[in-house]
């Protein structure tokens, strides 16, 4: 029943998020998608249907709508993030840019944050540093949604 969901457009072999984004938008959810900034931080703009996506850096598809600023993610009721791997404590391995560590640092502790994984990507342990921000749940094709931490 979330009013605002922050999500992302999957690329390459990542679990496909496009059907999810489309379905959320169709039912009237306000969907925010990231715009990668030159310093690796994430700006946000709304998804307004498949035609509203435009090519961005690094082969990404990004929303072409007006940017809402890096703090727009604070308005999300649910945050869906990519990850290469997550461990049972919620520690998250990204692609090395730290973009989601910055973005998740702006998300309130009560907000559900969930990483989309393949079944074998919930691993025993992920190395972490001080700056890393955990996720609270993962969603996997075979296992569904699992709460962590
Ligand atoms: N809150 C932050 N502010 C500034 N830079 C950050 C922040 N969080 C992470 N970074 C930068 O991102 C780099 C990569 O983070 P890392 O956790 O290794 O990547 P990822 O989370 O994508 O796997 C860090 O070494 C740091 O320089
Ligand atoms: Mg990190």
């Amino acid at each position: 029943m979330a009013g605002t969901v922050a999500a992302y457009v999957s690329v390459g072999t990542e679990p496909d998020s496009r059907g999810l984004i489309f379905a959320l938008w169709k039912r009237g959810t306000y969907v925010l998608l990231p715009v990668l900034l030159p310093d690796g931080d994430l700006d946000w703009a709304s998804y307004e249907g498949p035609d509203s996506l435009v090519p961005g850096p690094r082969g990404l598809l990004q929303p072409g709508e007006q940017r809402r600023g890096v703090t727009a993610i604070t308005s999300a009721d649910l945050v869906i993030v990519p990850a290469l791997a997550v461990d049972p404590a919620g520690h998250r391995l990204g692609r090395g840019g730290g973009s989601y560590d910055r973005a998740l640092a702006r998300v309130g502790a009560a907000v559900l944050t969930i990483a989309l994984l393949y079944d074998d990507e919930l691993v025993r342990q992920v190395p972490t540093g001080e700056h890393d921000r955990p996720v609270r749940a993962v969603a996997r094709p075979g296992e569904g949604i699992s709460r962590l931490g």
Side-chain angles (χ1 to χ4, degrees):
M1 300 302 287
T4 300
V5 174
Y8 67 97
V9 184
S10 56
V11 289
T13 58
E14 289 176 343
D16 192 357
S17 67
R18 297 221 216 168
L20 172 62
I21 293 166
F22 184 78
L24 287 168
W25 171 72
K26 266 286 184 193
R27 72 201 271 281
T29 294
Y30 187 67
V31 179
L32 284 170
L33 296 177
V35 177
L36 183 62
L37 297 174
D39 67 357
D41 209 339
L42 299 178
D43 202 339
W44 299 87
S46 64
Y47 175 76
E48 303 295 345
D51 296 339
S52 70
L53 298 176
V54 298
R58 303 188 191 189
L60 296 169
L61 274 179
Q62 308 194 136
E65 305 297 317
Q66 185 191 338
R67 297 183 188 181
R68 304 288 165 189
V70 296
T71 60
I73 192 173
T74 60
S75 69
D77 304 297
L78 169 69
V79 178
I80 300 168
V81 306
L84 297 177
V86 175
D87 73 17
H91 298 138
R92 176 187 164 276
L93 184 68
R95 290 184 182 273
S99 297
Y100 279 93
D101 293 317
R102 283 174 257 193
L104 290 173
R106 303 177 181 121
V107 174
V111 175
L112 181 59
T113 54
I114 183 163
L116 304 186
L117 301 179
Y118 289 111
D119 290 323
D120 61 357
E121 292 173 340
L122 181 63
V123 301
R124 198 170 56 81
Q125 196 173 13
V126 167
T128 50
E130 286 271 300
H131 65 272
D132 281 305
R133 289 290 175 276
V135 292
R136 296 178 58 201
V138 295
R140 292 171 292 167
E143 307 292 331
I145 294 171
S146 309
R147 294 260 186 176
L148 306 174

